[in-house]
Coordinates of all heavy atoms in Angstrom, one line a residue:
A292 N -13.1 18.3 -63.9 CA -12.7 18.3 -62.5 C -11.8 17.1 -62.3 O -11.9 16.1 -62.9 CB -13.9 18.2 -61.6
A293 N -10.8 17.3 -61.4 CA -9.9 16.2 -61.0 C -9.2 16.6 -59.7 O -9.3 17.8 -59.2 CB -8.9 16.0 -62.1
T294 N -8.6 15.7 -59.1 CA -7.8 15.8 -57.9 C -6.3 15.8 -58.1 O -5.8 14.9 -58.7 CB -8.2 14.7 -56.8 OG1 -9.6 14.7 -56.7 CG2 -7.5 15.0 -55.5
D295 N -5.6 16.8 -57.6 CA -4.2 16.9 -57.9 C -3.5 16.4 -56.7 O -2.9 17.1 -55.8 CB -3.8 18.4 -58.1 CG -2.4 18.5 -58.6 OD1 -1.7 17.5 -58.9 OD2 -1.9 19.7 -58.6
L296 N -3.5 15.1 -56.5 CA -2.8 14.4 -55.4 C -1.3 14.6 -55.5 O -0.6 14.8 -54.5 CB -3.2 12.9 -55.3 CG -4.7 12.7 -55.1 CD1 -5.0 11.2 -55.0 CD2 -5.2 13.3 -53.7
D297 N -0.8 14.4 -56.7 CA 0.7 14.5 -56.9 C 1.2 15.9 -56.5 O 2.2 16.1 -55.9 CB 1.1 14.2 -58.3 CG 0.8 12.7 -58.6 OD1 0.8 11.9 -57.7 OD2 0.6 12.4 -59.8
G298 N 0.4 17.0 -56.9 CA 0.7 18.3 -56.6 C 0.7 18.6 -55.1 O 1.6 19.3 -54.6
S299 N -0.4 18.1 -54.5 CA -0.5 18.3 -53.0 C 0.7 17.6 -52.3 O 1.2 18.2 -51.3 CB -1.8 17.7 -52.5 OG -2.9 18.4 -53.2
L300 N 1.0 16.4 -52.7 CA 2.2 15.7 -52.1 C 3.5 16.5 -52.4 O 4.3 16.6 -51.5 CB 2.3 14.3 -52.7 CG 3.4 13.4 -52.1 CD1 3.1 13.2 -50.6 CD2 3.4 12.1 -52.8
Y301 N 3.6 17.0 -53.6 CA 4.8 17.8 -53.9 C 4.9 19.0 -53.0 O 6.0 19.4 -52.5 CB 4.8 18.2 -55.4 CG 5.7 19.3 -55.8 CD1 7.1 19.0 -56.0 CD2 5.3 20.6 -55.9 CE1 8.0 20.1 -56.3 CE2 6.1 21.6 -56.2 CZ 7.5 21.3 -56.4 OH 8.3 22.4 -56.7
L302 N 3.8 19.8 -52.8 CA 3.8 20.9 -52.0 C 4.1 20.6 -50.5 O 4.8 21.3 -49.8 CB 2.5 21.7 -52.1 CG 2.2 22.4 -53.4 CD1 0.9 23.1 -53.4 CD2 3.3 23.4 -53.7
E303 N 3.6 19.5 -50.1 CA 3.9 19.0 -48.7 C 5.3 18.7 -48.5 O 5.9 19.1 -47.5 CB 3.0 17.8 -48.4 CG 2.9 17.5 -46.9 CD 2.3 18.5 -46.1 OE1 1.4 19.2 -46.6 OE2 2.6 18.6 -44.9
K304 N 5.9 18.0 -49.4 CA 7.4 17.8 -49.3 C 8.2 19.0 -49.4 O 9.2 19.2 -48.7 CB 7.8 16.8 -50.5 CG 7.3 15.4 -50.3 CD 7.8 14.5 -51.4 CE 7.3 13.0 -51.2 NZ 7.7 12.2 -52.3
L305 N 7.7 19.9 -50.3 CA 8.5 21.2 -50.5 C 8.4 22.0 -49.1 O 9.4 22.6 -48.7 CB 7.8 22.0 -51.6 CG 8.4 23.4 -51.9 CD1 9.9 23.3 -52.3 CD2 7.7 24.1 -52.9
K306 N 7.2 22.0 -48.5 CA 7.1 22.7 -47.2 C 8.0 22.1 -46.2 O 8.7 22.9 -45.4 CB 5.6 22.5 -46.7 CG 5.3 23.3 -45.5 CD 4.0 23.0 -44.9 CE 2.9 23.2 -45.9 NZ 1.5 22.9 -45.3
I307 N 8.1 20.8 -46.1 CA 9.0 20.2 -45.1 C 10.5 20.5 -45.4 O 11.3 20.9 -44.5 CB 8.9 18.6 -45.1 CG1 7.4 18.3 -44.7 CG2 9.9 17.9 -44.3 CD1 7.1 16.8 -44.8
I308 N 10.9 20.5 -46.7 CA 12.2 20.9 -47.1 C 12.5 22.3 -46.8 O 13.6 22.6 -46.2 CB 12.4 20.6 -48.6 CG1 12.4 19.1 -48.9 CG2 13.8 21.2 -49.1 CD1 12.4 18.8 -50.4
L309 N 11.6 23.2 -47.0 CA 11.8 24.6 -46.7 C 11.9 24.9 -45.3 O 12.8 25.7 -44.8 CB 10.7 25.5 -47.3 CG 10.7 25.6 -48.9 CD1 9.5 26.3 -49.3 CD2 11.9 26.2 -49.4
V310 N 11.1 24.2 -44.4 CA 11.2 24.4 -43.0 C 12.5 23.9 -42.5 O 13.2 24.5 -41.6 CB 10.0 23.7 -42.3 CG1 10.2 23.6 -40.8 CG2 8.7 24.3 -42.6
F311 N 13.0 22.7 -43.0 CA 14.3 22.2 -42.6 C 15.4 23.1 -43.0 O 16.3 23.3 -42.2 CB 14.5 20.8 -43.2 CG 15.8 20.2 -43.0 CD1 16.1 19.6 -41.7 CD2 16.8 20.2 -43.9 CE1 17.4 19.1 -41.5 CE2 18.0 19.6 -43.7 CZ 18.3 19.1 -42.5
V312 N 15.3 23.6 -44.2 CA 16.4 24.5 -44.7 C 16.4 25.8 -43.9 O 17.5 26.3 -43.5 CB 16.2 24.8 -46.2 CG1 17.1 26.0 -46.6 CG2 16.4 23.6 -47.0
C313 N 15.3 26.3 -43.5 CA 15.2 27.5 -42.7 C 15.8 27.3 -41.3 O 16.6 28.1 -40.8 CB 13.8 28.0 -42.5 SG 13.1 29.0 -43.9
L314 N 15.4 26.2 -40.7 CA 16.0 25.8 -39.3 C 17.5 25.7 -39.4 O 18.3 26.1 -38.5 CB 15.3 24.6 -38.8 CG 13.8 24.8 -38.4 CD1 13.2 23.4 -38.0 CD2 13.6 25.9 -37.4
L315 N 18.0 24.9 -40.4 CA 19.4 24.7 -40.6 C 20.1 26.0 -40.8 O 21.2 26.3 -40.3 CB 19.6 23.7 -41.7 CG 21.1 23.4 -42.0 CD1 21.8 22.7 -40.8 CD2 21.2 22.5 -43.2
S316 N 19.5 26.9 -41.7 CA 20.1 28.2 -42.0 C 20.1 29.0 -40.7 O 21.2 29.7 -40.5 CB 19.3 28.9 -43.1 OG 19.3 28.1 -44.3
F317 N 19.1 29.0 -39.9 CA 19.1 29.8 -38.6 C 20.2 29.3 -37.7 O 20.9 30.2 -37.1 CB 17.8 29.6 -37.9 CG 16.6 30.3 -38.7 CD1 15.3 29.8 -38.4 CD2 16.8 31.2 -39.6 CE1 14.2 30.4 -39.1 CE2 15.7 31.8 -40.3 CZ 14.5 31.3 -40.0
F318 N 20.4 28.0 -37.7 CA 21.5 27.5 -36.8 C 22.9 28.0 -37.4 O 23.7 28.4 -36.6 CB 21.4 26.0 -36.8 CG 22.5 25.4 -36.0 CD1 22.6 25.4 -34.6 CD2 23.6 24.7 -36.7 CE1 23.6 24.8 -33.9 CE2 24.6 24.1 -35.9 CZ 24.6 24.2 -34.6
L319 N 23.1 27.8 -38.7 CA 24.3 28.2 -39.3 C 24.6 29.7 -39.1 O 25.7 30.2 -38.9 CB 24.4 27.8 -40.7 CG 24.4 26.3 -41.0 CD1 24.4 26.0 -42.5 CD2 25.6 25.6 -40.4
F320 N 23.5 30.5 -39.3 CA 23.6 32.0 -39.2 C 24.0 32.3 -37.7 O 24.7 33.3 -37.5 CB 22.2 32.6 -39.5 CG 21.9 32.6 -41.0 CD1 20.6 32.8 -41.4 CD2 22.9 32.3 -41.9 CE1 20.3 32.7 -42.8 CE2 22.6 32.3 -43.3 CZ 21.3 32.5 -43.7
F321 N 23.4 31.6 -36.8 CA 23.7 31.9 -35.4 C 25.2 31.6 -35.1 O 25.9 32.4 -34.5 CB 22.8 31.0 -34.5 CG 23.2 31.1 -33.0 CD1 22.8 32.2 -32.3 CD2 24.0 30.1 -32.4 CE1 23.2 32.2 -30.9 CE2 24.3 30.1 -31.1 CZ 23.9 31.2 -30.3
I322 N 25.7 30.5 -35.6 CA 27.1 30.1 -35.4 C 28.0 31.2 -36.0 O 29.0 31.7 -35.5 CB 27.4 28.7 -35.9 CG1 26.6 27.7 -35.1 CG2 28.9 28.4 -35.8 CD1 26.9 27.6 -33.6
A323 N 27.7 31.5 -37.3 CA 28.5 32.4 -38.1 C 28.4 33.8 -37.4 O 29.4 34.5 -37.3 CB 28.0 32.5 -39.5
G324 N 27.2 34.2 -37.0 CA 27.1 35.5 -36.3 C 27.8 35.6 -35.0 O 28.4 36.6 -34.7
W325 N 27.8 34.5 -34.3 CA 28.5 34.5 -33.0 C 30.0 34.6 -33.2 O 30.7 35.3 -32.5 CB 28.2 33.2 -32.3 CG 28.8 33.1 -30.9 CD1 28.5 33.7 -29.8 CD2 29.9 32.2 -30.6 NE1 29.4 33.4 -28.8 CE2 30.2 32.4 -29.2 CE3 30.7 31.2 -31.3 CZ2 31.3 31.7 -28.6 CZ3 31.7 30.5 -30.7 CH2 32.0 30.8 -29.3
I326 N 30.5 33.8 -34.2 CA 32.0 33.9 -34.5 C 32.4 35.3 -35.0 O 33.4 35.9 -34.5 CB 32.3 32.8 -35.5 CG1 32.1 31.4 -34.9 CG2 33.8 33.0 -36.0 CD1 32.3 30.3 -35.9
Y327 N 31.7 35.8 -36.0 CA 32.1 37.0 -36.6 C 31.8 38.2 -35.7 O 32.6 39.2 -35.7 CB 31.4 37.2 -37.9 CG 32.0 36.4 -39.1 CD1 31.3 35.3 -39.5 CD2 33.2 36.7 -39.6 CE1 31.9 34.4 -40.5 CE2 33.8 35.9 -40.6 CZ 33.1 34.8 -41.0 OH 33.6 34.0 -42.0
S328 N 30.8 38.2 -34.9 CA 30.6 39.3 -33.9 C 31.6 39.3 -32.9 O 32.1 40.3 -32.4 CB 29.2 39.1 -33.3 OG 29.1 37.9 -32.6
G329 N 32.1 38.0 -32.5 CA 33.2 38.0 -31.5 C 34.5 38.6 -32.1 O 35.2 39.3 -31.4
R330 N 34.7 38.3 -33.4 CA 35.9 38.9 -34.0 C 35.7 40.4 -34.2 O 36.7 41.2 -34.0 CB 36.1 38.3 -35.4 CG 36.6 36.8 -35.4 CD 36.8 36.3 -36.8 NE 37.2 34.9 -36.8 CZ 37.5 34.2 -37.9 NH1 37.4 34.8 -39.1 NH2 37.9 32.9 -37.8
A331 N 34.5 40.9 -34.5 CA 34.3 42.3 -34.7 C 34.4 43.0 -33.4 O 34.9 44.2 -33.3 CB 32.9 42.5 -35.3
L332 N 34.0 42.4 -32.2 CA 34.0 43.1 -30.9 C 35.4 42.9 -30.2 O 35.6 43.5 -29.1 CB 32.9 42.6 -30.1 CG 31.5 42.9 -30.5 CD1 30.4 42.3 -29.6 CD2 31.3 44.4 -30.6
K333 N 36.2 42.0 -30.7 CA 37.5 41.8 -30.0 C 38.4 43.0 -29.9 O 38.9 43.2 -28.8 CB 38.3 40.7 -30.8 CG 39.6 40.2 -30.1 CD 40.3 39.1 -30.9 CE 41.5 38.7 -30.1 NZ 42.5 39.7 -29.8
P334 N 38.5 43.9 -30.9 CA 39.2 45.1 -30.7 C 38.7 46.0 -29.6 O 39.5 46.6 -28.8 CB 39.1 45.8 -32.1 CG 38.9 44.8 -33.0 CD 38.1 43.7 -32.3
I335 N 37.3 46.0 -29.4 CA 36.7 46.8 -28.3 C 37.1 46.1 -27.0 O 37.4 46.8 -26.0 CB 35.2 46.9 -28.5 CG1 34.9 47.6 -29.8 CG2 34.6 47.6 -27.3 CD1 33.4 47.7 -30.1
S336 N 37.0 44.8 -26.9 CA 37.4 44.1 -25.7 C 38.9 44.4 -25.4 O 39.2 44.6 -24.2 CB 37.2 42.6 -25.9 OG 35.8 42.4 -26.2
D337 N 39.8 44.4 -26.4 CA 41.2 44.7 -26.1 C 41.4 46.1 -25.6 O 42.2 46.3 -24.7 CB 42.0 44.5 -27.4 CG 42.0 43.1 -27.9 OD1 41.8 42.2 -27.0 OD2 42.3 42.8 -29.1
V338 N 40.6 47.1 -26.2 CA 40.7 48.4 -25.7 C 40.3 48.5 -24.2 O 40.9 49.2 -23.4 CB 39.9 49.4 -26.6 CG1 39.7 50.8 -26.0 CG2 40.5 49.5 -28.0

């Protein structure tokens, strides 16, 4: 038997990194979606 302190610390850091990456990705996806949806809907607005 033993305690995997290093592994637990690694998973905790990995969890923080993944949460940060997800939030950053959501923000970037929102900006990109807003820009490209505006471009996609511009012909309809012109019509």
Side-chain angles (χ1 to χ4, degrees):
T294 304
D295 189 11
L296 296 178
D297 293 336
S299 300
L300 182 61
Y301 165 79
L302 289 178
E303 193 65 28
K304 290 182 178 179
L305 178 63
K306 185 190 299 182
I307 296 173
I308 292 173
L309 291 176
V310 170
F311 175 76
V312 170
C313 278
L314 294 178
L315 180 62
S316 299
F317 294 158
F318 177 74
L319 295 177
F320 290 160
F321 172 78
I322 297 298
W325 181 72
I326 294 173
Y327 284 105
S328 62
R330 291 182 179 179
L332 296 177
K333 187 178 183 302
I335 298 179
S336 301
D337 294 340
V338 170

